[in-house]
Amino acid sequence: MGSEFIKRGMSTLANCAVCNNPSQMETLEHLFRDCPISARFWMGTDLGIRCDTNDDASIKDWIANWLSFFHKKKDNSDTINKFIATIWCLWCK
């Protein structure tokens, strides 16, 4: 993760490895929500998640909000599992 390497003083390319945008630092928010490739990935699921690049919530809050939303739904275990699996797929990119 580019931003994490920079925090630790490690020399590395910090741009997003998914969209390869040289002007976009790879952060957790970008990787899981703001990256155009990740946004298309979310749209390809049946979870109903449409990413808004103007969302200024931390990724921790963004994930917690979606988990809370899915938890309130009837028959939620499959939906929560799909959400977590999608996050894992994005992480493993």
Side-chain angles (χ1 to χ4, degrees):
M1 184 67 46
S3 64
E4 297 301 315
F5 286 133
I6 289 172
K7 281 183 199 174
R8 290 165 178 77
M10 299 169 70
S11 175
T12 184
L13 293 175
N15 61 306
C16 178
V18 177
C19 67
N20 204 25
N21 182 345
S23 66
Q24 179 57 57
M25 181 183 295
E26 185 180 49
T27 63
L28 293 174
E29 286 78 12
H30 182 77
L31 174 65
F32 292 121
R33 181 190 63 213
D34 300 338
C35 178
I37 307 284
S38 298
R40 283 186 286 214
F41 199 79
W42 285 113
M43 286 183 359
T45 69
D46 62 353
L47 296 171
I49 295 176
R50 301 296 177 256
C51 298
D52 179 7
T53 58
N54 295 324
D55 191 343
D56 60 353
S58 71
I59 198 62
K60 179 180 174 183
D61 290 341
W62 186 80
I63 290 171
N65 289 338
W66 277 109
L67 287 173
S68 176
F69 173 76
F70 293 139
H71 184 72
K72 294 174 185 174
K73 294 177 96 178
K74 189 175 183 178
D75 300 324
N76 61 16
S77 63
D78 189 45
T79 304
I80 291 171
N81 288 338
K82 285 180 187 178
F83 180 74
I84 293 169
T86 302
I87 290 174
W88 181 249
C89 288
L90 289 169
W91 178 256
C92 292
K93 61 177 170 25

